[in-house]
């Protein structure tokens, strides 16, 4: 049995599990684990935050059993008898009750906060799966797990066992894992970190401060080095009150940490833990970990290290199974005019005109639909206006003059240094045709500069507009005010540092997002603010316009990314699922998908049409700050604070490359116009160029790899590195390839 | 620190805290900032706790008061984002609605004007003045600027019968900078300005250079009504409509 079901929690199925406790098959336990998942969106309506249990016999049954246990624990034997007789419960139902353990209760987070006072005393004990422990369990252990539907009395989170013995349990497990075969050890060592964190959090949550401290000091040094930051945060968390405001940790506690372990290793672990004395760890594992079992060879340490590092473990295989339309939309065919008198005709068929104008060579050659591309109407997109068609024609003309890049033909790099920014430059963007630069600053201003000698002009005031001749041919020039033309314009409006900035593709609008929680749309015709989009109440870290205009996306501290349209004051889609802030948001070239990188070290790909998360990529060891899609839409590159650039295949959902070289956070990534070169800019003041064609060339994506997610990353970063260019103490925060493949870079000089 | 003067104790504590939290590189002003924050936070909490203690008629402040003070401040200043389950539910609901279709051939695609920042942020007060004789005299305009951000209406120079602010149908989208439109009441002899004088006022545009207000242009339109009847008065141009042409 390969995959573990990660389905909806089905109340009826819970009951079935109860009656087959000791069936020692991996599948069943996996099923058990699987059903204990946090209810995905769309599950029982009562789950999210609901405080009343859903009506239904199974639920009441459990309630009754819980009450029975409670009475029994308090030695109210007669009451137990009476209740059991009246409720008609079988004698052995108590003993065989399965771990209806914790769901990553959405209610868990909500419920537990209310239950500060209710500690072990008011808890109900439930016996877990293994029958061997049944006898011991009531005396030794009082596990009571959360349920997705919160019934206040039943859902208190109490510890699994004696707090003082946690250290003993952990070292016991350590000893065991150190004693297994080498091939299994790497995989089983994955268990250490989540187990450590959950046990520690449980101790803290149940107010066992001293034990928690001792536990932490003893075992924190054993963890992997890339969890160092998390451990430091944990070390400062010694009381229950500290956890209250920390949403990330609360989510961590209630969600399941995903581990991918091969079947053999899993069997080993299970056998060991189900022995009598190790049962506590088994309970904790069942409660907090989701073990995604696969058939096949155990993974090596390096393979595991490549994929781990995120706050929620790795991604389950089902999470990356949905079909993603990563192809590009068909370009509308626009005929290039032979002379000015010809009107551009846009039609899909390309009807030949009398003069036989040149058909554009950039349009799709075949009329067949790319099977991997979304249909044109999958999401509504704005139609092309005349000005857009003119833009496209310009684009195609420039494309013909584009330099072909390659390992032997590297791009020239033009660096725009912002002087006297006093470390206040927080965001930069270029227009697609590289005519304007916009900078967002920590003093809440936004400045727009013209890169070309052409100055920035705004539209005249109404009074002046009245005086111009509306019928003249150059009316579009006449409406511009020459008197206030300047090289740069300053836009005031935000009340906090501006963290994200994005030009619209038609160069009419500028979007900025800031720490004040709003996203502002500015007009580049009048250089005034048009709209303030309010929705995030917390700092918004990044925003971007869609490549087709009209839509834009924003992500911020509230862990949600929102899709907006310029003419709706509320978001159209909300992408929720990350455990920590969203630090970077990007559109796919076909505008149908959105990728978000977060502080929880995962990258998620969302479908704009449905709002579902279709891919989860783990592997970074630090918050992700840079994302870039390849121009053909198939691949994604990501950069984080760990200094690595990771390459992902979107279709298969796998990591296909790792580019090591940078020594500090990578803040910008950009593919060249045809996707041959990947440029990365980082805080270590360098721009590095990587050979993208070579990196994507040799892919062994056979079925086996896709099925198990085993990746064999070659350590060829050195071969792929084409050049390193140092700047003079200026961190690179933005990169842009012009239409002719000249690389522009921007950063603030930081002496 | 090898400075000759010793660093005060609390600054040393702050340095130690920063070190414990793993922050190794920071500007020296960070310590001062953290100390100020600490001081302000602690005094706020203690003051709040004193208020709670006096409210509960206790003679001295005890731990419960402090706990209550901390809790209340947490909910006020240090709010945290909504919990995940709530977000998931809201997202699920929001994502169920299909994406709205895009109307073709519209101008700039912006939300309804109520949600934009394009409305003028001022409002006119209606002025009623008795003016003596001569025709064509421009009386001093009364200009009142109020911060009205939510009113969609723009004062217009309507027909002479209406001197107060009228709501214009179809709020103009004034994409040009800030404009001040001032209405000057026609110097009519009748005190009541609600008369339906058939005379249409003449309007001329006077542009005043941007003064203290930066790049804002003040547009003053004057209604010059001749004392005689309509025949001599100039026709008023409907430049308001033109003014509001969206760009």
């Amino acid at each position: 049995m390969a995959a573990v079901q990660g389905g909806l929690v089905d109340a009826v199925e819970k009951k079935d599990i109860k009656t087959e406790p000791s069936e020692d098959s991996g599948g069943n336990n996996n099923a058990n684990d699987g059903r204990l998942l946090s209810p995905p969106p769309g599950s029982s309506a009562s789950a999210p935050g609901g405080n009343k249990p859903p009506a239904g016999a199974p639920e009441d049954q459990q309630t009754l059993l819980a009450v029975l246990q409670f009475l029994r624990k308090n030695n109210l034997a007669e009451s137990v008898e009476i209740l059991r007789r009246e409720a008609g419960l079988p004698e052995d139902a108590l003993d065989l009750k399965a771990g209806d353990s914790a769901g990553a209760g959405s209610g868990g987070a909500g419920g537990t906060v209310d239950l500060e006072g209710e500690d072990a005393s008011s808890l109900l004990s439930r016996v877990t799966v293994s029958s061997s422990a049944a006898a011991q369990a009531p005396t030794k252990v009082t596990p009571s797990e959360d349920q997705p539907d919160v019934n206040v009395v039943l859902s208190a989170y109490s510890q699994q066992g004696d707090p003082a013995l946690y250290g003993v349990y952990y070292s016991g497990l350590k000893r065991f894992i150190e004693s297994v075969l080498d091939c299994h050890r790497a995989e089983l060592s994955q268990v250490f970190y989540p187990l450590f964190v959950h046990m520690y959090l449980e101790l803290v949550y149940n107010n066992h401060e001293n034990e928690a401290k001792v536990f932490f000091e003893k075992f924190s040094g054993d963890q992997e080095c890339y969890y160092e930051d998390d451990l430091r945060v944990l070390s400062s968390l010694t009381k229950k009150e500290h956890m209250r405001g920390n949403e990330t940790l609360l989510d961590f506690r209630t969600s399941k940490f995903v581990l991918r372990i091969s079947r053999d290793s899993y069997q080993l672990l299970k056998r060991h833990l189900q022995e009598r004395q190790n049962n506590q760890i088994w309970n904790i594992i069942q409660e907090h970990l989701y073990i995604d079992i696969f058939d096949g060879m155990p993974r090596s340490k390096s393979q595991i290290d490549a994929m781990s590092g995120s706050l929620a473990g790795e991604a389950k295989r089902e999470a990356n199974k949905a079909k993603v339309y990563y192809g590009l939309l068909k370009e509308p065919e626009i005929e290039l005019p032979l002379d000015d008198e010809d009107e551009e005709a846009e039609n899909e068929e390309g009807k030949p005109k009398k003069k036989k104008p040149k058909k554009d060579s950039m349009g799709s050659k075949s009329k067949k639909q790319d099977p991997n591309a979304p249909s044109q109407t999958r999401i509504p997109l704005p139609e092309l206006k005349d000005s857009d068609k003119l833009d496209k024609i310009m684009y195609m003309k420039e494309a013909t003059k584009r330099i072909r890049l390659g390992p032997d033909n590297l791009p020239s790099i033009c660096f725009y240094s912002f002087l006297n920014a006093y470390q206040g430059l927080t965001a930069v963007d270029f227009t697609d045709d590289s005519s304007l630069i916009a900078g967002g600053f920590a003093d809440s201003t936004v400045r727009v500069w013209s890169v070309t000698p052409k100055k920035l002009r705004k539209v005249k005031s109404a009074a002046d507009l009245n005086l111009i001749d509306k019928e003249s041919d150059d009316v579009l020039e006449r409406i511009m005010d020459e008197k206030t033309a300047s090289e740069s314009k300053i836009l005031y409006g935000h009340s906090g540092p501006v963290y994200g900035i994005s030009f619209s593709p038609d160069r009419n609008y500028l979007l900025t997002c800031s720490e004040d929680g709003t996203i502002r749309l500015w007009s580049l015709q009048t250089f005034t603010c048009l709209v303030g989009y309010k929705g995030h109440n917390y700092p918004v870290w990044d925003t971007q316009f869609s490549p087709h205009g009209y839509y834009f996306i924003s992500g911020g501290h509230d862990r949600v990314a929102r899709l907006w349209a310029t003419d709706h004051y509320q978001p159209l889609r909300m992408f929720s699922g990350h455990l920590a802030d969203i630090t970077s948001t990007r559109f796919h070239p076909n505008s149908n998908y959105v990728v978000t990188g977060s502080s929880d070290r995962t990258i998620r790909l969302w479908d704009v049409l449905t709002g579902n998360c279709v891919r989860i990529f783990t592997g970074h060891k630090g918050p992700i700050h840079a994302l870039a899609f390849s121009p053909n839409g198939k691949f994604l590159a990501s950069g984080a604070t760990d200094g690595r650039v990771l390459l992902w295949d979107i279709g298969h959902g796998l990591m296909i490359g790792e580019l090591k070289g940078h020594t500090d956070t990578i803040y910008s990534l950009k593919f060249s116009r045809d996707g041959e070169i990947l440029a990365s800019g980082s805080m270590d003041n360098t721009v590095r160029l990587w050979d993208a064609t070579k990196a994507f060339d040799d892919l062994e994506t056979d079925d086996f790899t896709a099925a198990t997610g085993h990746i064999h990353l070659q350590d060829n970063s050195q071969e792929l590195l084409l050049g390193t260019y140092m700047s003079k103490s200026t961190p690179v925060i933005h990169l842009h390839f012009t239409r002719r493949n000249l690389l522009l870079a921007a950063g603030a000089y930081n002496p | 620190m090898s400075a000759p003067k010793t660093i005060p104790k609390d600054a040393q504590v702050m340095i130690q805290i920063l070190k414990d939290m793993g922050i190794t590189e920071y500007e020296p002003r960070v310590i001062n900032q953290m100390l100020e924050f600490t001081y302000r936070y602690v005094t706020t909490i203690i003051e709040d706790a004193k208020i709670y203690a006096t409210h509960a008629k206790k003679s001295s402040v005890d731990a419960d008061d402090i706990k209550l003070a901390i809790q209340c401040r947490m909910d006020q200043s240090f709010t945290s984002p909504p919990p995940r389950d709530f977000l998931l539910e809201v997202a699920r609901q929001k994502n169920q609605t299909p994406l709205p279709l895009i109307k073709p051939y519209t101008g700039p695609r912006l939300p309804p004007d109520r949600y934009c920042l394009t409305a003028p942020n001022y409002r006119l007060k209606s002025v009623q003045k008795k003016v003596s004789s001569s025709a064509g005299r421009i009386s001093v305009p009364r200009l009142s600027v109020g911060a009205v951000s939510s009113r969609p209406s723009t004062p217009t120079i309507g027909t002479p019968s209406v001197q107060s602010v009228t709501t214009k149908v179809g709020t103009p989208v004034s994409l040009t900078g800030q404009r001040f439109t001032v209405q000057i009441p026609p110097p009519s002899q009748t005190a009541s300005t609600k008369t339906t004088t058939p005379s249409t006022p003449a309007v001329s545009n006077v542009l005043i250079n941007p003064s203290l207000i930066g790049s804002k242009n003040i547009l003053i339109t004057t209604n010059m009504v001749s004392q005689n009847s309509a025949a001599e008065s100039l026709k008023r141009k409907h430049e308001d409509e033109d003014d509001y042409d969206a760009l």
Side-chain angles (χ1 to χ4, degrees):
Chain A
M1 179 188 308
V4 178
Q5 301 98 293
L8 296 177
V9 180
D10 192 347
V12 177
E13 284 175 55
K14 266 195 223 163
K15 206 162 161 230
D16 291 341
I17 299 174
K18 270 186 244 166
T19 53
E20 1 164 337
S22 49
E23 195 187 304
D24 198 23
S25 80
N28 195 32
N29 274 318
N30 300 341
N32 199 9
D33 287 338
R35 289 191 185 92
L36 307 176
L37 272 185
S38 61
S43 69
S44 56
S46 63
N51 262 341
K52 64 174 185 64
E59 251 54 49
D60 290 345
Q61 181 92 349
Q62 289 167 26
T63 315
L64 281 171
L65 286 169
V67 172
L68 260 179
Q69 285 289 357
F70 176 68
L71 291 173
R72 187 182 262 195
K73 203 182 78 170
N74 288 350
N75 296 323
L76 302 168
E78 276 189 20
S79 320
V80 168
E81 279 309 308
I82 295 172
L83 178 57
R84 204 159 32 84
R85 235 179 304 127
E86 286 195 312
L89 294 170
E91 176 81 40
D92 48 345
L94 300 168
D95 294 333
L96 299 183
K97 200 145 174 354
D100 279 299
S101 22
S106 39
T112 47
V113 179
D114 307 328
L115 300 167
E116 293 175 10
E118 294 182 275
D119 222 330
S121 54
S122 60
L123 299 179
L124 307 161
S125 56
R126 305 228 196 116
V127 185
T128 62
V129 175
S130 12
S131 50
S132 57
Q136 300 245 345
T139 53
K140 206 155 101 172
V141 159
T142 58
S144 154
E145 297 88 347
D146 288 339
Q147 276 196 312
D149 43 311
V150 174
N151 181 316
V152 171
V153 176
L154 294 178
S155 67
Y157 190 162
S158 109
Q159 69 271 17
Q160 307 260 14
D162 189 0
L165 291 178
Y166 272 29
V168 174
Y169 303 149
Y170 191 88
S171 12
L173 183 67
K174 222 169 88 164
R175 267 195 308 273
F176 165 68
I177 291 183
E178 276 164 17
S179 69
V180 297
L181 293 175
D182 281 351
C183 60
H184 297 296
R185 192 181 310 145
E187 285 202 323
L188 292 181
S189 307
Q190 286 178 60
V191 164
F192 280 140
Y193 176 71
L195 203 61
F196 171 76
V197 177
H198 278 291
M199 286 168 92
Y200 177 76
L201 287 178
E202 240 185 277
L203 288 173
V204 167
Y205 196 83
N206 293 302
N207 296 317
H208 301 293
E209 231 182 285
N210 293 328
E211 287 92 345
K213 203 158 145 214
V214 165
F215 183 74
F216 190 89
E217 275 165 25
K218 197 165 167 203
F219 297 114
S220 65
D222 299 334
Q223 308 303 327
E224 298 280 355
C225 53
Y226 41 80
Y227 290 122
E228 203 185 305
D229 292 330
D230 286 346
L231 290 173
R232 196 178 303 124
V233 170
L234 275 186
S235 70
S236 69
L237 213 108
T238 46
K239 293 194 206 299
K240 193 175 177 185
E241 288 76 32
H242 297 167
M243 286 175 67
R244 225 167 55 115
N246 194 334
E247 284 301 327
T248 302
L249 273 182
L250 286 175
D251 286 344
F252 178 77
R253 261 193 67 232
T254 50
S255 64
K256 292 223 172 189
F257 193 95
V258 177
L259 293 173
R260 302 194 61 242
I261 298 187
S262 70
R263 182 175 303 280
D264 305 325
S265 316
Y266 178 71
Q267 298 286 18
L268 266 179
L269 181 69
K270 203 172 100 154
R271 211 172 305 132
H272 170 82
L273 290 181
Q274 283 190 321
E275 291 165 24
R276 189 176 291 191
Q277 61 270 28
N278 294 319
N279 206 52
Q280 316 322 318
I281 301 237
W282 180 242
N283 298 340
I284 297 174
I285 285 183
Q286 272 197 309
E287 188 175 337
H288 291 295
L289 268 55
Y290 179 96
I291 301 186
D292 192 17
I293 300 189
F294 62 88
D295 286 309
M297 295 283 298
R299 292 191 289 171
S300 68
K301 182 100 175 53
S302 60
Q303 283 179 317
I304 295 174
D305 274 347
M307 298 291 291
S308 56
S310 104
L311 201 56
E314 300 183 37
K316 292 180 228 155
R317 256 168 310 139
E318 302 85 61
N320 283 351
K321 284 283 176 249
K323 170 130 174 94
V324 172
Y325 295 101
Y326 53 80
L328 302 174
L329 291 176
K330 264 192 347 177
E331 292 289 323
E333 294 192 9
I334 302 177
E335 292 173 351
L336 296 172
L338 285 183
D339 49 76
D340 287 333
E341 287 167 74
D342 269 333
E343 279 181 301
E344 303 102 35
E346 189 235 46
N347 46 35
E348 291 291 335
E349 300 304 298
K351 276 195 309 254
K353 283 182 133 185
K354 267 195 220 161
K355 288 190 190 174
K356 287 216 180 79
K358 258 190 302 189
K359 278 189 54 181
D360 77 275
S361 52
M362 303 307 291
S364 54
K365 295 218 167 59
S366 66
K367 298 286 189 296
K368 280 197 303 250
Q369 174 82 346
D370 177 4
N372 288 318
S375 70
Q376 297 283 118
T377 51
R378 188 166 184 266
I379 60 166
L381 289 172
E383 85 282 358
L384 285 183
K385 297 199 277 242
D386 288 342
S387 52
D388 295 332
K389 291 179 199 166
L390 284 171
D391 268 346
K392 278 224 180 303
I393 291 177
M394 274 305 298
Y395 183 88
M396 290 188 285
K397 282 196 186 138
E398 300 239 17
T400 53
K401 301 192 191 128
R402 190 181 287 171
I403 307 171
R404 290 231 69 117
L405 299 175
D408 46 354
N409 189 14
L410 296 177
S412 309
I413 307 180
C414 180
F415 200 108
Y416 286 90
S417 304
F418 287 71
L419 300 176
N420 299 329
Y422 304 114
Q423 296 169 351
L425 180 68
T426 44
V428 173
D429 193 27
F430 285 87
T431 50
D432 190 60
D433 63 350
S434 322
S435 58
L436 300 174
I437 305 182
F441 295 89
D443 61 358
S444 76
T445 55
V446 178
R447 285 172 203 242
V448 182
W449 283 272
S450 168
V451 173
T452 55
K454 182 168 181 271
K455 290 197 176 171
L456 296 178
R457 289 176 174 76
K458 60 181 193 176
V459 172
K460 286 179 182 163
S461 67
D464 291 342
L465 283 177
N466 207 32
L467 305 171
I468 65 174
D469 172 18
K470 293 187 187 63
E471 302 301 319
S472 64
D473 279 341
D474 58 348
V475 64
L476 289 175
E477 271 81 45
R478 290 192 189 207
I479 59 175
M480 295 312 215
D481 184 10
E482 297 293 325
K483 281 181 279 188
T484 55
S486 55
E487 290 277 327
S488 75
K489 299 243 184 244
I490 307 179
L491 303 172
Y492 296 103
H494 276 298
S495 49
V498 177
Y499 288 123
I501 197 164
S502 174
F503 278 105
S504 74
D506 56 6
R507 289 197 328 279
N508 284 333
Y509 301 117
L510 177 67
L511 209 59
T512 56
C513 70
S514 122
E515 179 261 347
D516 61 6
T518 61
I519 303 151
R520 282 185 183 245
L521 184 74
W522 309 82
S523 162
L524 292 175
Q525 315 286 1
T526 62
F527 291 95
T528 54
C529 183
L530 298 177
V531 195
Y533 299 95
K534 301 189 185 75
H536 297 274
N537 291 324
Y538 294 92
V540 188
W541 301 122
D542 196 14
T543 183
Q544 198 203 25
F545 250 113
S546 124
H548 297 91
Y550 183 67
Y551 294 111
F552 61 93
I553 187 162
S554 64
H557 176 64
D558 57 355
R559 291 136 48 231
V560 167
R562 289 161 206 251
L563 177 83
W564 312 74
T566 52
D567 58 5
H568 287 79
Y569 62 97
Q570 283 182 340
L572 299 175
R573 289 282 181 266
M574 286 183 52
F575 305 117
S576 164
H578 276 291
L579 294 180
D581 312 17
I582 292 176
T583 46
S584 176
T585 55
R586 286 285 177 269
F587 266 100
H588 188 278
N590 65 17
S591 287
N592 275 273
Y593 293 94
V594 160
V595 70
T596 57
S598 152
S599 289
D600 66 1
R601 285 111 57 189
T602 59
I603 300 163
R604 286 180 184 238
L605 190 71
W606 308 87
D607 185 351
V608 164
L609 185 66
T610 56
N612 296 332
C613 176
V614 293
R615 292 283 182 271
I616 302 180
F617 297 124
T618 63
H620 273 296
K621 315 276 189 280
I624 287 128
H625 285 289
L627 291 166
F629 277 104
S630 66
N632 59 10
K634 289 195 205 156
F635 305 109
L636 174 69
S638 60
T641 53
D642 55 3
R644 291 149 72 227
V645 177
L646 296 179
L647 305 170
W648 312 89
D649 178 336
I650 296 170
H652 293 103
L654 299 171
M655 188 194 297
I656 49 179
E658 180 183 356
L659 304 172
K660 291 199 262 240
H662 279 293
T663 53
D664 208 336
T665 316
I666 294 165
Y667 271 116
S668 54
L669 280 173
K670 208 51 167 237
F671 279 93
S672 65
R673 291 282 174 162
D674 293 317
E676 315 101 347
I677 303 249
L678 173 63
S680 63
S682 141
M683 291 292 285
D684 60 4
N685 308 335
T686 60
V687 174
R688 283 174 199 250
L689 300 177
W690 311 86
D691 189 348
T693 24
K694 189 147 169 240
F696 297 135
D697 228 359
D698 28 41
L699 289 180
E700 317 161 9
T701 47
D702 53 349
D703 289 328
F704 175 72
T705 319
T708 59
H710 278 214
I711 34 163
H712 297 273
L713 290 179
Q714 314 140 295
D715 191 15
N716 56 354
S717 297
Q718 281 310 308
E719 299 164 15
L720 296 173
L721 178 62
L722 297 173
T724 308
Y725 303 93
M726 313 248 347
S727 72
K728 187 169 154 191
S729 91
T730 311
V732 182
I733 63 171
H734 194 259
L735 291 169
H736 173 78
F737 275 93
T738 64
R739 288 174 176 170
R740 301 196 193 182
N741 271 340
L742 170 70
L743 178 57
L744 304 179
Y749 177 61
N750 188 15
Chain B
M1 311 278 161
S2 53
K5 52 183 190 297
T6 53
I7 299 180
K9 182 113 188 309
D10 44 4
Q12 285 176 354
V13 171
M14 190 52 73
I15 292 170
Q16 193 57 44
I17 293 176
L18 288 172
K19 198 155 78 133
D20 282 342
M21 294 307 291
I23 304 169
T24 47
E25 295 180 9
Y26 47 86
E27 291 183 14
R29 288 187 298 172
V30 167
I31 301 172
N32 292 352
Q33 206 173 18
M34 299 294 285
L35 287 173
E36 276 185 33
F37 171 77
T38 313
Y39 179 76
R40 195 184 68 195
Y41 178 71
V42 171
T43 43
T44 316
I45 297 291
I46 294 181
E47 278 172 3
D48 284 353
K50 262 206 317 208
I51 295 173
Y52 297 142
T54 46
H55 175 80
K57 300 200 177 37
K58 286 190 267 201
S59 56
S60 64
V61 178
D62 62 11
D64 285 337
D65 298 322
I66 302 275
K67 273 199 206 138
L68 184 62
I70 293 177
Q71 253 189 12
C72 290
R73 275 290 152 195
M74 273 285 243
D75 296 333
Q76 217 176 40
S77 330
F78 304 109
T79 52
S80 54
R84 192 152 168 248
D85 49 341
F86 176 75
L87 288 175
L88 283 173
E89 179 58 23
V90 171
R92 190 178 64 86
Q93 280 179 0
K94 192 115 218 160
N95 296 344
Q96 270 170 354
T97 54
L99 290 172
L101 294 172
I102 306 177
K103 288 195 273 277
Y105 310 123
T106 49
R109 293 193 163 101
L110 294 176
D113 286 319
R114 203 146 60 91
Y115 304 103
C116 286
L117 302 171
T118 49
N121 57 354
Y122 60 91
R123 181 172 49 118
L124 290 190
K125 259 170 35 172
S126 66
V127 177
Q128 307 183 3
K129 271 186 76 166
K130 255 197 255 209
V131 181
S132 59
S133 62
S134 59
R137 195 173 59 147
I138 303 173
S139 57
V140 176
R142 285 263 181 86
L143 169 65
S144 75
V145 180
V148 189
S149 52
S150 57
R151 278 189 59 148
S153 61
T154 310
T156 65
I157 300 177
T159 55
S161 59
V162 183
Q163 299 245 345
S164 51
V165 173
T166 53
T167 309
K168 195 170 168 162
V169 173
T171 313
V173 178
S174 56
L175 295 176
T176 57
Q178 294 296 319
R179 290 174 40 247
F180 286 84
T181 310
V182 177
Q183 182 183 3
I184 301 173
S188 60
Q189 275 176 341
T190 52
S192 106
T193 49
K194 301 261 193 303
T195 54
T196 54
T197 344
S199 62
T200 54
V203 176
S204 63
N205 292 342
V206 176
L207 197 70
I208 294 189
N209 282 333
S211 55
L212 324 146
I213 343 182
S215 63
K216 299 186 174 81
N217 297 324
I218 304 185
L219 169 71
I220 299 187
T221 58
T222 66
N223 300 340
M224 295 202 287
V225 180
S226 61
Q227 291 301 89
N228 310 333
S229 66
E232 293 171 23
S233 58
L234 300 167
K235 210 176 273 207
R236 179 173 75 83
K237 289 200 264 269
H238 281 269
E239 81 283 358
D240 292 320
E241 272 62 78
D242 294 355
D243 288 346
Y244 297 145
D245 272 350
L247 292 153

